[in-house]
Amino acid sequence: MARIAPLSGFPEWLPQGRVVEQHVLDVLRHTFELHGFAGIETRAVEPLDQLLRKGETSKEVYVLSRLQDADPAGQRDRGEKQLGLHFDLTVPFARYVLENAGKLAFPFKRYQIQKVWRGERPQEGRFREFTQADIDVVGSGDLPYHYEVEVPLVMAEAFGALREIGLPPVRILVNNRKVAEGFYRGIGLSDVEGVLRQIDKLDKIGHEQVATLLVDQCGASEDQAKACLALAGISGSDTSVIAEVRALAESYGALTELLTTGLAELEALMVAAGRRAPGVVVADLKIARGLDYYTGSVYETVLVGHEQLGSVCSGGRYDTLASDGKNTYPGVGLSVGVSRLVSRLLSGGLVTATRGVPTAVLVAVATEETRPVSDAVAEALRGRGIPCEVAPAPAKFGKQIKYADRRGIPFVWFPGEPGHGPADAPATSGTALVGSVKDIRSGEQLDADATTWEPPAEDLHPRVVPGSGTGQ
Amino acid sequence: MARIAPLSGFPEWLPQGRVVEQHVLDVLRHTFELHGFAGIETRAVEPLDQLLRKGETSKEVYVLSRLQDADPAGQRDRGEKQLGLHFDLTVPFARYVLENAGKLAFPFKRYQIQKVWRGERPQEGRFREFTQADIDVVGSGDLPYHYEVEVPLVMAEAFGALREIGLPPVRILVNNRKVAEGFYRGIGLSDVEGVLRQIDKLDKIGHEQVATLLVDQCGASEDQAKACLALAGISGSDTSVIAEVRALAESYGALTELLTTGLAELEALMVAAGRRAPGVVVADLKIARGLDYYTGSVYETVLVGHEQLGSVCSGGRYDTLASDGKNTYPGVGLSVGVSRLVSRLLSGGLVTATRGVPTAVLVAVATEETRPVSDAVAEALRGRGIPCEVAPAPAKFGKQIKYADRRGIPFVWFPGEPGHGPADAPATSGTALVGSVKDIRSGEQLDADATTWEPPAEDLHPRVVPGSGTGQ
C-alpha cells in the first residue's frame, strides 16, 4: 500500500470545512443570479496554443497526455491538438464567446465557478488547484462604461453578504488604465506597459527601488519617476481623489485628453460606489495589474487586516476580450479567489460551521426488526424538508445519542407511541409516526409527531458563523 | 487567430442547457442532504500509482506534466510523483478516507459531485470529461447490510424528483454478487470472475456467444453454461424472483450457504424497495459489473425507453473500499452519470428551460442621466430576492422590450410615477420606486411599487419543464 499523504498545493477540506466553502459558493451564486448573470461552465482543457496566448501565466500550464501515449509528440504526429488545463476562467470564456457568438445575446452577463490549475510553487494562499468564481459582461462591438461600475458593486454586495459569517471587511481598490496611461504620456513617458510593470512592484520592493527601475528600464528622468510615484501615492474613498490627480497632472502640465476621460470614468465609479457601497470601494492610483491587458478600470480586493494575503478578487476592463477578425468583444469582469479566501477563513479560525453533516435529526432504532418504523419517521420528516438519517444499529440509546453528538446532529428521535415501548406500533400505522424527540444539547425531550414537528429554523441546516480566531 | 472548434468528448452547454444541468445537480444535492450525506470535494489529481491500482480504467488516465518540464521522466528524476486526473470519484474518496480516517466519524456518509476524465474514444453518452454525482457510505471495520438497501432508495427518490421536469422513469437493476458466486460455485464453477466477465457481455453479444465463451474460457460444461444463462435470465420487481432463483439452484443441487445469504439480502432489498419505491427497483440476475471488485449488492440504472444509452447510475458494495493495513473500510455507493443524463435530456428535447438567464425583471432606462433611478428600482427588487438587471442603454422602449424578449425575461419595469414621465422622480425619493411593470408575454401593464410588487412564483426563477421531444 503506497503511503497516503496530502499533495502540496492541492487543498482539500474536511466535511466541516466544505460546509464553509459551499456556503461561500452559494452566496456568490445567489448574488450573481440576483444581478442577472447566467451560470455557465467550460471544459477544463483548452488547446495549448490558446493557453499560450496569455504571456506569463502560460509557463505554469499543466499539459495532458494519455497514459498509453505518454510522449506528447506522438499525439502531435497524429494531428491531435495538445491539450492543457486552463489556468483561469477568462481564456476559456473568451473562446466560449467566439464559439457560440451566434447563439448568445449581447451584452452577455455570465458567472462561472470552477477549478483552475497552475503549476506554481505552492505558498500560503497560492495553490496549484483552486476554485475561481468569475463574473464578466461582454459586449459585441461595444460595451458601455456603466458595466465597469456594476461589476465591482456586485462583488461588494457578495462580500457584504459574507460579513455575517465572519468574513472581515473588504476594500475593493480601483484604478483606471486611462488615468495612468494619460498621465505617463502627459509627462512624456511612452513605455506605458513598462512603467505599469514597475509600479506593480511597489508593495514588494518599495519606492526607492521602483524609482531606480523607472529610470534604468523605462527611460524616465528622476523628475518623471518622482511624478509616477506621486500619482501612485494617491488614494481615497471619495471623489476628492479625482481633484488630487487633476491637480498633480496640472502641476506637470500633463492633463491629456485620455487622462481627462479616465478621470471622468473613475469619478462616475466613485460616485456610484459612495451611494451603493459606502466605504468599500477605494480609488488607489498604484493599482497597475501590470501583466494583464486591461484598457480601462482595474480592480484588486484586500481583506482588511489580511492585506499580506494578496488580492482575493481581481479583474478589469478589456477592450478586446475576444476577437474573431470580423467582430470584437470587449468585456469587463472580476474573479474571486475562492480557495484563497476559504483557506484563510478556515486556517485563521475566522469562521466555523455548526456541524459537518446536513442531518438535523437522527432517528434512533430500537431493534433491527423495527427499523422500518424508524425509516417511516425519517421519510415523514424528509417529506417536509428536514434532513435526517436513521441510526446505523439498534445499539443502546446512549450510544445512538453519542453517534449524533459526534457529528453535531442536534436532535435524536425515539419512535414509539408516547408511554409505550418504541416498537409497539407497526410501520404502516399512523401511530408509528409519533414518538419523542430529544434536543441533545439541552437534554430536553418532548413528545412529537413526525408529520408536524419541526426543528427551530436555525437548526434545520448547518450554519456558518464567526469563529474565535483573529486570523492574524 | 486559431480556428475555434468544439473538442470531441468535452461537452459544454449553452446557458439554457446549463440551467437544466444545474437543476439536476441541485435536485441531487438536495436529496443527498435530506438523507444526511455530507458533501465533500477531492482534488482532481492523484498520484499515478494510486490510479493504476484499478485495472482496466487506468489505461484511459490523463497524465499531467508541467509545460516547462514536458518530459515526465524529468519530474520523476527529481522525486516528484507523477500525477494523473482522476477517472472516477471512488478511488479519490478511498484515499480521502484513509488520509483523514482519524478525523471522520464512521459510518461516514458522503456525496461528491465533480468532473472526472477518461481518454476514451468519445461516443454518444460517452465523454472524455464528464460530471459524476456519487453517494457512498463507508464503515470502519464493518458496515451493516441495510446501507445496501438505503443507497439505491436514495437514488430512486432523486430520480423520482426529476420526473416532473421530464426525466423518463428509471429502473434500478439490482443483483448480489453472493447470489452469483454462490450459484456458480454450487454448480461446480470456480472461475467466478471469469464467468461474471462473460455474463457482462450478454446484452452485447447474446446468449449463444456467451455460452461458447463460458465453455471455452471458463472451463464450463455445456450444462453448466446453460445453468449460468438460466440464472442470468431471471428478473422481476417483486420477491417472487427469490423463489425462482432458489428453485433453479435446488434443481442443480446448488443451494450453497453463500447463495442462501445472498438471497436473504436480495429479498430484504426487494421488500424495502416494494414499500418505498414501488416498481423502480428490479432484481436482474444478469447484472454482473464484471470489471469492478464488488462483494455484495451491485446496481445499474436504465432510463425506460433509452436503454441503449447504457447505465446512468451504477455501483455496489465493496468489502474493501480502502485499507491501511490496520483497518479495513467497507463501503457501498452509487454514481450518477450526470453528463450522460443531461446530454440525453437536452439532445432528445426531453426537457427545456423556461429561460437561459436568472433575470425575472428588466428595469428599463429612460435616459443615461436617470440610470440611478433604474438602479434603485433594481436594488429594491433584489432586496426581496427578485433577480433583475438594468437595461444596457436608454434605447427606445421597444428595443428594451426586445432585449428582454430575446432572453426570455418575462417582465419589463418602467420607472417613474404613474401618469408622469419616467424620469420625474429623483433616485433618492420614495417615488422613484413606483412605476409600471409589463408582462411582455401578455402585454398587460400595471402600476407597481418596487418595495411591494412580486412576480408570480413560477416566473421568479427559470424553470425546467418537459420538452416536446420523445428522445427516441
PDB file of all heavy atoms in Angstrom, chain B residues 184 189 191-192 194-199 202 207-222 224-229:
ATOM      1  N   TYR B 184     -22.623 -20.148  -8.926  1.00  0.00           N
ATOM      2  CA  TYR B 184     -21.560 -20.687  -9.790  1.00  0.00           C
ATOM      3  C   TYR B 184     -20.777 -21.766  -9.035  1.00  0.00           C
ATOM      4  O   TYR B 184     -20.500 -22.831  -9.560  1.00  0.00           O
ATOM      5  CB  TYR B 184     -20.607 -19.588 -10.265  1.00  0.00           C
ATOM      6  CG  TYR B 184     -21.261 -18.476 -11.043  1.00  0.00           C
ATOM      7  CD1 TYR B 184     -20.694 -17.197 -11.050  1.00  0.00           C
ATOM      8  CD2 TYR B 184     -22.428 -18.683 -11.769  1.00  0.00           C
ATOM      9  CE1 TYR B 184     -21.276 -16.160 -11.766  1.00  0.00           C
ATOM     10  CE2 TYR B 184     -23.031 -17.648 -12.471  1.00  0.00           C
ATOM     11  CZ  TYR B 184     -22.447 -16.383 -12.461  1.00  0.00           C
ATOM     12  OH  TYR B 184     -23.022 -15.366 -13.146  1.00  0.00           O
ATOM     13  N   LEU B 189     -18.451 -24.356 -10.673  1.00  0.00           N
ATOM     14  CA  LEU B 189     -17.533 -23.466 -11.405  1.00  0.00           C
ATOM     15  C   LEU B 189     -16.721 -22.642 -10.389  1.00  0.00           C
ATOM     16  O   LEU B 189     -17.285 -22.072  -9.462  1.00  0.00           O
ATOM     17  CB  LEU B 189     -18.310 -22.518 -12.312  1.00  0.00           C
ATOM     18  CG  LEU B 189     -18.980 -23.161 -13.536  1.00  0.00           C
ATOM     19  CD1 LEU B 189     -19.875 -22.148 -14.245  1.00  0.00           C
ATOM     20  CD2 LEU B 189     -17.907 -23.688 -14.498  1.00  0.00           C
ATOM     21  N   ASP B 191     -14.036 -20.356 -11.463  1.00  0.00           N
ATOM     22  CA  ASP B 191     -13.539 -19.080 -12.018  1.00  0.00           C
ATOM     23  C   ASP B 191     -14.677 -18.050 -12.010  1.00  0.00           C
ATOM     24  O   ASP B 191     -15.212 -17.667 -13.051  1.00  0.00           O
ATOM     25  CB  ASP B 191     -13.014 -19.302 -13.435  1.00  0.00           C
ATOM     26  CG  ASP B 191     -12.486 -18.011 -14.064  1.00  0.00           C
ATOM     27  OD1 ASP B 191     -12.374 -17.000 -13.328  1.00  0.00           O
ATOM     28  OD2 ASP B 191     -12.207 -18.023 -15.274  1.00  0.00           O
ATOM     29  N   VAL B 192     -15.032 -17.579 -10.796  1.00  0.00           N
ATOM     30  CA  VAL B 192     -16.191 -16.713 -10.647  1.00  0.00           C
ATOM     31  C   VAL B 192     -16.032 -15.406 -11.428  1.00  0.00           C
ATOM     32  O   VAL B 192     -16.932 -14.981 -12.154  1.00  0.00           O
ATOM     33  CB  VAL B 192     -16.436 -16.418  -9.153  1.00  0.00           C
ATOM     34  CG1 VAL B 192     -17.554 -15.407  -8.980  1.00  0.00           C
ATOM     35  CG2 VAL B 192     -16.756 -17.709  -8.406  1.00  0.00           C
ATOM     36  N   GLY B 194     -14.180 -14.828 -13.991  1.00  0.00           N
ATOM     37  CA  GLY B 194     -14.236 -15.120 -15.425  1.00  0.00           C
ATOM     38  C   GLY B 194     -15.683 -15.246 -15.903  1.00  0.00           C
ATOM     39  O   GLY B 194     -16.062 -14.668 -16.928  1.00  0.00           O
ATOM     40  N   VAL B 195     -16.490 -15.981 -15.135  1.00  0.00           N
ATOM     41  CA  VAL B 195     -17.892 -16.162 -15.526  1.00  0.00           C
ATOM     42  C   VAL B 195     -18.606 -14.804 -15.541  1.00  0.00           C
ATOM     43  O   VAL B 195     -19.343 -14.475 -16.489  1.00  0.00           O
ATOM     44  CB  VAL B 195     -18.600 -17.156 -14.574  1.00  0.00           C
ATOM     45  CG1 VAL B 195     -20.087 -17.254 -14.916  1.00  0.00           C
ATOM     46  CG2 VAL B 195     -17.943 -18.536 -14.650  1.00  0.00           C
ATOM     47  N   LEU B 196     -18.379 -13.999 -14.481  1.00  0.00           N
ATOM     48  CA  LEU B 196     -19.026 -12.681 -14.419  1.00  0.00           C
ATOM     49  C   LEU B 196     -18.660 -11.841 -15.636  1.00  0.00           C
ATOM     50  O   LEU B 196     -19.491 -11.132 -16.201  1.00  0.00           O
ATOM     51  CB  LEU B 196     -18.597 -11.949 -13.141  1.00  0.00           C
ATOM     52  CG  LEU B 196     -19.241 -12.437 -11.824  1.00  0.00           C
ATOM     53  CD1 LEU B 196     -18.548 -11.797 -10.625  1.00  0.00           C
ATOM     54  CD2 LEU B 196     -20.732 -12.120 -11.807  1.00  0.00           C
ATOM     55  N   ARG B 197     -17.380 -11.922 -16.020  1.00  0.00           N
ATOM     56  CA  ARG B 197     -16.924 -11.112 -17.169  1.00  0.00           C
ATOM     57  C   ARG B 197     -17.668 -11.510 -18.437  1.00  0.00           C
ATOM     58  O   ARG B 197     -18.002 -10.657 -19.255  1.00  0.00           O
ATOM     59  CB  ARG B 197     -15.418 -11.291 -17.361  1.00  0.00           C
ATOM     60  CG  ARG B 197     -14.646  -9.985 -17.193  1.00  0.00           C
ATOM     61  CD  ARG B 197     -13.217 -10.055 -17.734  1.00  0.00           C
ATOM     62  NE  ARG B 197     -12.549 -11.311 -17.447  1.00  0.00           N
ATOM     63  CZ  ARG B 197     -11.862 -11.573 -16.336  1.00  0.00           C
ATOM     64  NH1 ARG B 197     -11.766 -10.651 -15.375  1.00  0.00           N
ATOM     65  NH2 ARG B 197     -11.272 -12.728 -16.152  1.00  0.00           N
ATOM     66  N   GLN B 198     -17.914 -12.820 -18.593  1.00  0.00           N
ATOM     67  CA  GLN B 198     -18.644 -13.270 -19.801  1.00  0.00           C
ATOM     68  C   GLN B 198     -20.126 -12.881 -19.714  1.00  0.00           C
ATOM     69  O   GLN B 198     -20.711 -12.407 -20.701  1.00  0.00           O
ATOM     70  CB  GLN B 198     -18.488 -14.783 -19.996  1.00  0.00           C
ATOM     71  CG  GLN B 198     -17.036 -15.297 -20.036  1.00  0.00           C
ATOM     72  CD  GLN B 198     -16.146 -14.528 -21.003  1.00  0.00           C
ATOM     73  OE1 GLN B 198     -16.619 -13.913 -21.967  1.00  0.00           O
ATOM     74  NE2 GLN B 198     -14.850 -14.515 -20.735  1.00  0.00           N
ATOM     75  N   ILE B 199     -20.728 -13.079 -18.546  1.00  0.00           N
ATOM     76  CA  ILE B 199     -22.154 -12.756 -18.365  1.00  0.00           C
ATOM     77  C   ILE B 199     -22.391 -11.258 -18.645  1.00  0.00           C
ATOM     78  O   ILE B 199     -23.420 -10.858 -19.201  1.00  0.00           O
ATOM     79  CB  ILE B 199     -22.607 -13.117 -16.927  1.00  0.00           C
ATOM     80  CG1 ILE B 199     -22.579 -14.635 -16.715  1.00  0.00           C
ATOM     81  CG2 ILE B 199     -24.004 -12.559 -16.618  1.00  0.00           C
ATOM     82  CD1 ILE B 199     -23.595 -15.411 -17.536  1.00  0.00           C
ATOM     83  N   LEU B 202     -23.591 -10.256 -22.118  1.00  0.00           N
ATOM     84  CA  LEU B 202     -24.864 -10.770 -22.660  1.00  0.00           C
ATOM     85  C   LEU B 202     -25.595  -9.787 -23.566  1.00  0.00           C
ATOM     86  O   LEU B 202     -26.002 -10.117 -24.670  1.00  0.00           O
ATOM     87  CB  LEU B 202     -25.790 -11.185 -21.511  1.00  0.00           C
ATOM     88  CG  LEU B 202     -25.789 -12.672 -21.148  1.00  0.00           C
ATOM     89  CD1 LEU B 202     -26.641 -12.914 -19.909  1.00  0.00           C
ATOM     90  CD2 LEU B 202     -26.309 -13.501 -22.326  1.00  0.00           C
ATOM     91  N   HIS B 207     -26.814 -14.664 -26.058  1.00  0.00           N
ATOM     92  CA  HIS B 207     -26.707 -15.919 -25.308  1.00  0.00           C
ATOM     93  C   HIS B 207     -25.722 -16.908 -25.897  1.00  0.00           C
ATOM     94  O   HIS B 207     -24.899 -17.476 -25.195  1.00  0.00           O
ATOM     95  CB  HIS B 207     -28.088 -16.584 -25.228  1.00  0.00           C
ATOM     96  CG  HIS B 207     -28.946 -16.015 -24.157  1.00  0.00           C
ATOM     97  ND1 HIS B 207     -29.673 -16.770 -23.282  1.00  0.00           N
ATOM     98  CD2 HIS B 207     -29.171 -14.722 -23.798  1.00  0.00           C
ATOM     99  CE1 HIS B 207     -30.326 -15.991 -22.447  1.00  0.00           C
ATOM    100  NE2 HIS B 207     -30.050 -14.731 -22.752  1.00  0.00           N
ATOM    101  N   GLU B 208     -25.852 -17.114 -27.195  1.00  0.00           N
ATOM    102  CA  GLU B 208     -25.100 -18.193 -27.815  1.00  0.00           C
ATOM    103  C   GLU B 208     -23.592 -17.988 -27.663  1.00  0.00           C
ATOM    104  O   GLU B 208     -22.862 -18.867 -27.238  1.00  0.00           O
ATOM    105  CB  GLU B 208     -25.464 -18.246 -29.300  1.00  0.00           C
ATOM    106  CG  GLU B 208     -25.502 -19.654 -29.847  1.00  0.00           C
ATOM    107  CD  GLU B 208     -26.285 -19.674 -31.160  1.00  0.00           C
ATOM    108  OE1 GLU B 208     -27.457 -19.194 -31.155  1.00  0.00           O
ATOM    109  OE2 GLU B 208     -25.712 -20.105 -32.165  1.00  0.00           O
ATOM    110  N   GLN B 209     -23.175 -16.750 -27.977  1.00  0.00           N
ATOM    111  CA  GLN B 209     -21.735 -16.471 -27.898  1.00  0.00           C
ATOM    112  C   GLN B 209     -21.228 -16.517 -26.467  1.00  0.00           C
ATOM    113  O   GLN B 209     -20.099 -16.947 -26.206  1.00  0.00           O
ATOM    114  CB  GLN B 209     -21.442 -15.092 -28.504  1.00  0.00           C
ATOM    115  CG  GLN B 209     -21.515 -15.095 -30.021  1.00  0.00           C
ATOM    116  CD  GLN B 209     -20.680 -13.972 -30.612  1.00  0.00           C
ATOM    117  OE1 GLN B 209     -19.513 -13.822 -30.273  1.00  0.00           O
ATOM    118  NE2 GLN B 209     -21.280 -13.186 -31.488  1.00  0.00           N
ATOM    119  N   VAL B 210     -22.077 -16.040 -25.522  1.00  0.00           N
ATOM    120  CA  VAL B 210     -21.636 -16.092 -24.128  1.00  0.00           C
ATOM    121  C   VAL B 210     -21.484 -17.548 -23.689  1.00  0.00           C
ATOM    122  O   VAL B 210     -20.507 -17.909 -23.012  1.00  0.00           O
ATOM    123  CB  VAL B 210     -22.620 -15.332 -23.212  1.00  0.00           C
ATOM    124  CG1 VAL B 210     -22.341 -15.618 -21.736  1.00  0.00           C
ATOM    125  CG2 VAL B 210     -22.547 -13.829 -23.481  1.00  0.00           C
ATOM    126  N   ALA B 211     -22.418 -18.393 -24.110  1.00  0.00           N
ATOM    127  CA  ALA B 211     -22.328 -19.824 -23.770  1.00  0.00           C
ATOM    128  C   ALA B 211     -21.016 -20.412 -24.287  1.00  0.00           C
ATOM    129  O   ALA B 211     -20.299 -21.124 -23.568  1.00  0.00           O
ATOM    130  CB  ALA B 211     -23.521 -20.579 -24.353  1.00  0.00           C
ATOM    131  N   THR B 212     -20.678 -20.081 -25.519  1.00  0.00           N
ATOM    132  CA  THR B 212     -19.422 -20.566 -26.103  1.00  0.00           C
ATOM    133  C   THR B 212     -18.223 -20.084 -25.284  1.00  0.00           C
ATOM    134  O   THR B 212     -17.308 -20.849 -24.962  1.00  0.00           O
ATOM    135  CB  THR B 212     -19.284 -20.036 -27.559  1.00  0.00           C
ATOM    136  OG1 THR B 212     -20.485 -20.358 -28.250  1.00  0.00           O
ATOM    137  CG2 THR B 212     -18.092 -20.650 -28.245  1.00  0.00           C
ATOM    138  N   LEU B 213     -18.233 -18.804 -24.906  1.00  0.00           N
ATOM    139  CA  LEU B 213     -17.117 -18.254 -24.138  1.00  0.00           C
ATOM    140  C   LEU B 213     -17.021 -18.913 -22.761  1.00  0.00           C
ATOM    141  O   LEU B 213     -15.919 -19.156 -22.260  1.00  0.00           O
ATOM    142  CB  LEU B 213     -17.274 -16.733 -23.975  1.00  0.00           C
ATOM    143  CG  LEU B 213     -16.988 -15.909 -25.242  1.00  0.00           C
ATOM    144  CD1 LEU B 213     -17.435 -14.452 -25.050  1.00  0.00           C
ATOM    145  CD2 LEU B 213     -15.510 -15.963 -25.595  1.00  0.00           C
ATOM    146  N   LEU B 214     -18.176 -19.194 -22.149  1.00  0.00           N
ATOM    147  CA  LEU B 214     -18.149 -19.835 -20.826  1.00  0.00           C
ATOM    148  C   LEU B 214     -17.479 -21.208 -20.922  1.00  0.00           C
ATOM    149  O   LEU B 214     -16.668 -21.582 -20.062  1.00  0.00           O
ATOM    150  CB  LEU B 214     -19.580 -19.991 -20.278  1.00  0.00           C
ATOM    151  CG  LEU B 214     -20.243 -18.704 -19.765  1.00  0.00           C
ATOM    152  CD1 LEU B 214     -21.722 -18.937 -19.462  1.00  0.00           C
ATOM    153  CD2 LEU B 214     -19.522 -18.184 -18.529  1.00  0.00           C
ATOM    154  N   VAL B 215     -17.782 -21.907 -21.998  1.00  0.00           N
ATOM    155  CA  VAL B 215     -17.171 -23.221 -22.199  1.00  0.00           C
ATOM    156  C   VAL B 215     -15.690 -23.091 -22.532  1.00  0.00           C
ATOM    157  O   VAL B 215     -14.832 -23.712 -21.902  1.00  0.00           O
ATOM    158  CB  VAL B 215     -17.919 -23.999 -23.322  1.00  0.00           C
ATOM    159  CG1 VAL B 215     -17.165 -25.271 -23.691  1.00  0.00           C
ATOM    160  CG2 VAL B 215     -19.357 -24.298 -22.889  1.00  0.00           C
ATOM    161  N   ASP B 216     -15.394 -22.195 -23.482  1.00  0.00           N
ATOM    162  CA  ASP B 216     -14.007 -22.082 -23.974  1.00  0.00           C
ATOM    163  C   ASP B 216     -13.074 -21.446 -22.938  1.00  0.00           C
ATOM    164  O   ASP B 216     -11.922 -21.839 -22.803  1.00  0.00           O
ATOM    165  CB  ASP B 216     -13.964 -21.213 -25.238  1.00  0.00           C
ATOM    166  CG  ASP B 216     -14.602 -21.925 -26.435  1.00  0.00           C
ATOM    167  OD1 ASP B 216     -14.955 -23.116 -26.269  1.00  0.00           O
ATOM    168  OD2 ASP B 216     -14.730 -21.297 -27.495  1.00  0.00           O
ATOM    169  N   GLN B 217     -13.568 -20.435 -22.212  1.00  0.00           N
ATOM    170  CA  GLN B 217     -12.641 -19.649 -21.401  1.00  0.00           C
ATOM    171  C   GLN B 217     -12.786 -19.892 -19.899  1.00  0.00           C
ATOM    172  O   GLN B 217     -11.887 -19.540 -19.135  1.00  0.00           O
ATOM    173  CB  GLN B 217     -12.854 -18.153 -21.680  1.00  0.00           C
ATOM    174  CG  GLN B 217     -12.928 -17.846 -23.169  1.00  0.00           C
ATOM    175  CD  GLN B 217     -12.123 -16.626 -23.542  1.00  0.00           C
ATOM    176  OE1 GLN B 217     -11.789 -15.817 -22.683  1.00  0.00           O
ATOM    177  NE2 GLN B 217     -11.784 -16.504 -24.797  1.00  0.00           N
ATOM    178  N   CYS B 218     -13.930 -20.421 -19.469  1.00  0.00           N
ATOM    179  CA  CYS B 218     -14.117 -20.552 -18.021  1.00  0.00           C
ATOM    180  C   CYS B 218     -14.219 -22.018 -17.600  1.00  0.00           C
ATOM    181  O   CYS B 218     -14.593 -22.324 -16.466  1.00  0.00           O
ATOM    182  CB  CYS B 218     -15.364 -19.799 -17.571  1.00  0.00           C
ATOM    183  SG  CYS B 218     -15.404 -18.088 -18.117  1.00  0.00           S
ATOM    184  N   GLY B 219     -13.933 -22.923 -18.497  1.00  0.00           N
ATOM    185  CA  GLY B 219     -13.944 -24.335 -18.142  1.00  0.00           C
ATOM    186  C   GLY B 219     -15.315 -24.903 -17.820  1.00  0.00           C
ATOM    187  O   GLY B 219     -15.428 -25.904 -17.103  1.00  0.00           O
ATOM    188  N   ALA B 220     -16.364 -24.258 -18.316  1.00  0.00           N
ATOM    189  CA  ALA B 220     -17.715 -24.752 -18.020  1.00  0.00           C
ATOM    190  C   ALA B 220     -18.105 -25.874 -18.981  1.00  0.00           C
ATOM    191  O   ALA B 220     -17.678 -25.875 -20.139  1.00  0.00           O
ATOM    192  CB  ALA B 220     -18.719 -23.605 -18.130  1.00  0.00           C
ATOM    193  N   SER B 221     -18.909 -26.826 -18.482  1.00  0.00           N
ATOM    194  CA  SER B 221     -19.525 -27.803 -19.377  1.00  0.00           C
ATOM    195  C   SER B 221     -20.713 -27.114 -20.041  1.00  0.00           C
ATOM    196  O   SER B 221     -21.124 -26.030 -19.612  1.00  0.00           O
ATOM    197  CB  SER B 221     -20.015 -29.020 -18.578  1.00  0.00           C
ATOM    198  OG  SER B 221     -21.100 -28.609 -17.752  1.00  0.00           O
ATOM    199  N   GLU B 222     -21.275 -27.741 -21.059  1.00  0.00           N
ATOM    200  CA  GLU B 222     -22.431 -27.100 -21.701  1.00  0.00           C
ATOM    201  C   GLU B 222     -23.589 -26.959 -20.729  1.00  0.00           C
ATOM    202  O   GLU B 222     -24.330 -25.980 -20.752  1.00  0.00           O
ATOM    203  CB  GLU B 222     -22.846 -27.890 -22.943  1.00  0.00           C
ATOM    204  CG  GLU B 222     -21.798 -27.719 -24.031  1.00  0.00           C
ATOM    205  CD  GLU B 222     -22.325 -27.984 -25.444  1.00  0.00           C
ATOM    206  OE1 GLU B 222     -23.547 -28.210 -25.607  1.00  0.00           O
ATOM    207  OE2 GLU B 222     -21.499 -27.939 -26.381  1.00  0.00           O
ATOM    208  N   GLN B 224     -23.322 -26.614 -17.432  1.00  0.00           N
ATOM    209  CA  GLN B 224     -23.018 -25.506 -16.506  1.00  0.00           C
ATOM    210  C   GLN B 224     -23.281 -24.151 -17.174  1.00  0.00           C
ATOM    211  O   GLN B 224     -23.826 -23.236 -16.564  1.00  0.00           O
ATOM    212  CB  GLN B 224     -21.560 -25.596 -16.044  1.00  0.00           C
ATOM    213  CG  GLN B 224     -21.317 -26.710 -15.013  1.00  0.00           C
ATOM    214  CD  GLN B 224     -19.847 -26.952 -14.767  1.00  0.00           C
ATOM    215  OE1 GLN B 224     -19.024 -26.823 -15.693  1.00  0.00           O
ATOM    216  NE2 GLN B 224     -19.508 -27.310 -13.528  1.00  0.00           N
ATOM    217  N   ALA B 225     -22.882 -24.029 -18.434  1.00  0.00           N
ATOM    218  CA  ALA B 225     -23.117 -22.782 -19.160  1.00  0.00           C
ATOM    219  C   ALA B 225     -24.612 -22.499 -19.247  1.00  0.00           C
ATOM    220  O   ALA B 225     -25.062 -21.362 -19.045  1.00  0.00           O
ATOM    221  CB  ALA B 225     -22.505 -22.859 -20.560  1.00  0.00           C
ATOM    222  N   LYS B 226     -25.369 -23.555 -19.498  1.00  0.00           N
ATOM    223  CA  LYS B 226     -26.818 -23.407 -19.575  1.00  0.00           C
ATOM    224  C   LYS B 226     -27.385 -22.918 -18.239  1.00  0.00           C
ATOM    225  O   LYS B 226     -28.271 -22.048 -18.188  1.00  0.00           O
ATOM    226  CB  LYS B 226     -27.445 -24.762 -19.956  1.00  0.00           C
ATOM    227  CG  LYS B 226     -28.800 -24.653 -20.632  1.00  0.00           C
ATOM    228  CD  LYS B 226     -29.335 -26.045 -21.010  1.00  0.00           C
ATOM    229  CE  LYS B 226     -30.754 -26.223 -20.516  1.00  0.00           C
ATOM    230  NZ  LYS B 226     -31.130 -27.630 -20.317  1.00  0.00           N
ATOM    231  N   ALA B 227     -26.860 -23.479 -17.152  1.00  0.00           N
ATOM    232  CA  ALA B 227     -27.313 -23.066 -15.824  1.00  0.00           C
ATOM    233  C   ALA B 227     -27.015 -21.586 -15.577  1.00  0.00           C
ATOM    234  O   ALA B 227     -27.856 -20.834 -15.060  1.00  0.00           O
ATOM    235  CB  ALA B 227     -26.647 -23.915 -14.745  1.00  0.00           C
ATOM    236  N   CYS B 228     -25.815 -21.158 -15.957  1.00  0.00           N
ATOM    237  CA  CYS B 228     -25.432 -19.733 -15.778  1.00  0.00           C
ATOM    238  C   CYS B 228     -26.391 -18.842 -16.554  1.00  0.00           C
ATOM    239  O   CYS B 228     -26.801 -17.782 -16.050  1.00  0.00           O
ATOM    240  CB  CYS B 228     -24.007 -19.491 -16.258  1.00  0.00           C
ATOM    241  SG  CYS B 228     -22.762 -20.297 -15.238  1.00  0.00           S
ATOM    242  N   LEU B 229     -26.723 -19.245 -17.765  1.00  0.00           N
ATOM    243  CA  LEU B 229     -27.605 -18.418 -18.581  1.00  0.00           C
ATOM    244  C   LEU B 229     -29.025 -18.442 -18.036  1.00  0.00           C
ATOM    245  O   LEU B 229     -29.744 -17.442 -18.115  1.00  0.00           O
ATOM    246  CB  LEU B 229     -27.572 -18.891 -20.036  1.00  0.00           C
ATOM    247  CG  LEU B 229     -26.241 -18.591 -20.744  1.00  0.00           C
ATOM    248  CD1 LEU B 229     -26.180 -19.299 -22.095  1.00  0.00           C
ATOM    249  CD2 LEU B 229     -26.052 -17.081 -20.900  1.00  0.00           C
TER     250      LEU B 229
END
